[in-house]
Amino acid sequence: MKRFSWFNATALTLGFAFLYLPMIILVIYSFNASKLVTVWAGFSTRWYGELLSNEEFLDAAWVTLKVAVASSTLATILGTMAAYVLVRAGRFSGRTLFSGMIYAPLVMPEVITGLSLLLLFIGIGLDRGVFTIVLAHTTFSMCYVSVVVSSRLTTFDRSLEEAALDLGASPFDAFRLVTLPIIAPAVISGWLLAFTLSLDDLVIASFTTGPSATTLPIKIFSAVRLGVSPEINALSTLMIAVVTVGVITASLVSKRAAVAQARDEQAAARAG
C-alpha cells in the first residue's frame, strides 16, 4: 500500500481550499453589519431579517420550489418510462432515434436548448411563465433520470419479475409490486438530481420565463449585476445550510440502512 505523501496532502488541501474557502468567506460576511460586503463592521444578523422581509426574494424562492418539484416529478415519471423501454423493449424500429432524442440534452448546450424552446413556445403562441419553465426543465432533466434508472434496470434480476408473472401477476402488477420497489433508490436519486438541476438552472429559465415568473437564480443574477448585496450572502448561506443538512441526513440514513442490512445478513447466516 502506498503511503500518503506530503505532495498528495498538499494537493488535497489546496483542492479543498479552492472549493470551500470562498463558501466559508461568504458565510462569514453574511453576518457582516456593514452594507459593504468587503468591509467588516462587526457581527450582525441584520441581513437575515431583511432577507425574510424581502418579498421579491421570497416570491422568487417560492416560484423556484414549485418549478423544481413539478419538473422533477414529471421528469422522473417520463425518464423512468423511457429507461424501461430502452432496457426491456429490446430492438425495435426507431430505437436509435429514440435513444438519441432521450440522451441529446446531455451534450446539448443549454443556450441552444433554451433558444429552441423559446422559439417553440413563441411559434405555438404559449404565454411564458411557470408552466413553460416546468416544461423546459422537464425536457432537459428527463435524460438524467433515464440514465440513472436505466443503469439500475440493466443489472436487475429479471427472474424476480418472471416469478411474479408465473404466480399470476399481470405485467403491470409485476412492475408495480416487484420492479418498482427494487429500483426505487435509482428513481429517488433521479428525482433528486432533476430537482437539483432545476434549482440551479439559470440559462434555460432565462429563455423560457416571463414577467409573471422569476426564479431565484434569475433574481440573484439580476441583483448581482448591480452589486453584491449582503442579503444575497445571507440567502446563499441559507442555501448552503439546507444542502449541508440534506447531505448529512442522507448519509446517516444510508449508513443506518447498510448497518441494518448487514445485521439481517448476519442473522440469516446464523439461522442457516
Side-chain angles (χ1 to χ4, degrees):
M1 179 181 293
K2 295 182 178 180
R3 297 181 60 185
F4 194 67
S5 64
W6 284 104
F7 176 79
N8 293 335
T10 303
L12 185 63
T13 302
L14 291 177
F16 278 115
F18 180 78
L19 289 174
Y20 294 107
L21 188 59
M23 296 184 187
I24 295 174
I25 295 175
L26 182 146
V27 172
I28 293 174
Y29 274 91
S30 69
F31 296 98
N32 186 11
S34 174
K35 295 183 67 175
L36 302 175
V37 295
T38 58
V39 178
W40 181 260
F43 181 85
S44 175
T45 58
R46 163 191 174 188
W47 304 113
Y48 288 90
E50 294 195 8
L51 173 65
L52 295 178
S53 61
N54 191 321
E55 294 294 335
E56 293 183 357
F57 276 117
L58 294 179
D59 291 341
W62 176 239
V63 170
T64 303
L65 287 176
K66 289 193 297 183
V67 169
V69 171
S71 63
S72 58
T73 302
L74 288 174
T76 301
I77 296 173
L78 297 176
T80 302
M81 294 171 61
Y84 192 84
V85 170
L86 288 174
V87 175
R88 296 297 177 84
R91 295 193 173 276
F92 56 89
S93 178
R95 175 187 170 84
T96 303
L97 177 62
F98 179 73
S99 61
M101 293 176 64
I102 292 295
Y103 297 135
L106 287 171
V107 296
M108 189 75 66
E110 292 187 355
V111 174
I112 303 300
T113 302
L115 180 59
S116 61
L117 289 171
L118 172 62
L119 295 177
L120 172 64
F121 296 147
I122 293 176
I124 63 177
L126 187 62
D127 294 333
R128 284 169 290 162
V130 174
F131 181 65
T132 54
I133 302 177
V134 170
L135 291 180
H137 284 185
T138 302
T139 301
F140 89 94
S141 60
M142 181 182 69
C143 58
Y144 293 91
V145 178
S146 179
V147 169
V148 174
V149 176
S150 61
S151 63
R152 180 65 184 92
L153 283 172
T154 303
T155 60
F156 181 80
D157 187 4
R158 298 192 63 176
S159 62
L160 300 174
E161 280 186 346
E162 295 172 356
L165 294 173
D166 291 340
L167 293 173
S170 64
F172 177 75
D173 289 336
F175 174 80
R176 180 174 58 90
L177 299 175
V178 178
T179 307
L180 188 58
I182 295 177
I183 67 171
V187 175
I188 295 173
S189 299
W191 188 93
L192 291 174
L193 180 58
F195 183 81
T196 304
L197 291 171
S198 179
L199 285 180
D200 185 58
D201 177 67
L202 171 64
V203 178
I204 295 178
S206 63
F207 278 99
T208 57
T209 189
S212 61
T214 301
T215 61
L216 196 55
I218 295 177
K219 182 63 182 177
I220 294 175
F221 180 74
S222 301
V224 168
R225 293 175 63 185
L226 303 176
V228 179
S229 169
E231 294 182 25
I232 297 179
N233 289 345
L235 176 61
S236 301
T237 302
L238 291 177
M239 295 176 68
I240 292 173
V242 171
V243 171
T244 303
V245 171
V247 170
I248 293 175
T249 302
S251 300
L252 293 176
V253 171
S254 299
K255 185 177 180 179
R256 290 183 178 179
V259 170
Q261 183 178 2
R263 189 185 302 116
D264 294 339
E265 291 178 352
Q266 292 177 358
R270 292 171 183 173

